[in-house]
């Protein structure tokens, strides 16, 4: 009797482990495929010849963003939306590092969830998501050229009952 129960428990654990590893592998493979497709697209359709970073922005407009260098070594960025492509050099533009520095300076107690470049209405920006100690999420949008915050809002989690 105990042997039978033990075999069932072992079988269930193995099934759950196998399913979990398959799911994890699928997610990792999907991310890898997305990044490779973005790299291939950027090299084939923009002046970017060396890809350094790949992002996906999901806002009102979903886009793939590729940051890299052109043949002359100038840092460049490309946004690909469903309907169009935008390209620019990073000369004089706000970098992810400068955004991160500003955010940690002004919100020292908040955790940075992500910093992602995006574009809407042909206006590029950096989206920053912060989580404060109370569990609130703050979204900040920094203009890509000026560094000014163009929009911000906070989402409060529902009260625990």
């Amino acid at each position: 009797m105990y042997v039978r129960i033990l075999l069932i428990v072992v079988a269930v654990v193995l099934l759950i482990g196998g399913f979990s590893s398959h799911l994890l592998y699928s997610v990792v493979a999907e991310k890898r495929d997305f990044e490779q497709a973005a790299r291939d697209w950027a090299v084939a359709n923009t002046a970017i010849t060396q890809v350094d970073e790949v992002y996906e922005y999901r806002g009102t407009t979903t886009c793939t963003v590729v940051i890299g260098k052109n043949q002359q070594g100038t840092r460049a960025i490309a946004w690909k939306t469903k309907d169009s492509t935008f390209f620019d050099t990073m000369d004089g533009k706000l970098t992810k590092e400068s955004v991160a520095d500003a955010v940690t300076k002004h919100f020292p107690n908040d955790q940075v969830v992500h910093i992602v470049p995006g574009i809407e209405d042909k206006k590029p920006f950096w989206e920053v998501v912060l989580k404060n100690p109370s569990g609130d999420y703050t979204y900040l949008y920094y203009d890509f050229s000026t560094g000014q915050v163009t929009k911000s809002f906070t989402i409060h989690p529902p009260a625990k009952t």
Side-chain angles (χ1 to χ4, degrees):
M1 174 75 169
Y2 291 116
V3 173
R4 193 177 273 165
I5 293 173
L6 182 62
L7 288 175
I8 291 171
V9 169
V10 169
V12 168
V13 168
L14 288 174
L15 282 172
I16 291 172
F19 176 75
S20 298
S21 64
H22 175 69
L23 180 63
L24 180 62
Y25 175 78
S26 296
V27 169
V28 170
E30 187 175 308
K31 181 175 172 39
R32 186 180 56 240
D33 292 347
F34 165 78
E35 288 182 357
Q36 188 58 50
R39 290 172 187 279
D40 294 345
W41 166 80
V43 170
N45 296 290
T46 71
I48 294 174
T49 56
Q50 175 191 325
V51 175
D52 298 326
E53 303 167 74
V54 175
Y55 298 94
E56 183 175 22
Y57 170 73
R58 292 181 176 263
T60 306
T61 304
T62 298
C63 63
T64 300
V65 185
V66 177
I67 298 177
K69 294 182 181 141
N70 63 18
Q71 242 178 346
Q72 293 77 32
T74 303
R75 292 206 19 99
I77 185 168
W79 296 265
K80 180 184 183 293
T81 68
K82 177 182 166 189
D83 302 320
S84 53
T85 298
F86 302 93
F87 179 82
D88 201 354
T89 65
M90 294 293 290
D91 290 340
K93 304 299 189 293
L94 200 60
T95 64
K96 181 178 182 178
E97 294 75 21
S98 60
V99 171
D101 289 346
V103 166
T104 55
K105 178 181 175 186
H106 290 98
F107 302 92
N109 298 322
D110 292 6
Q111 171 193 358
V112 176
V113 176
H114 78 230
I115 301 174
V116 177
I119 195 165
E120 291 185 5
D121 298 323
K122 299 181 182 180
K123 295 177 184 164
F125 54 84
W126 286 100
E127 176 190 67
V128 178
V129 179
L130 303 170
K131 183 177 181 183
N132 71 20
S134 301
D136 299 336
Y137 288 89
T138 299
Y139 287 72
L140 302 165
Y141 296 84
Y142 288 86
D143 181 272
F144 212 71
S145 296
T146 67
Q148 296 296 314
V149 175
T150 59
K151 178 171 69 169
S152 67
F153 58 91
T154 300
I155 298 174
H156 307 284
K160 295 180 182 178
T161 55

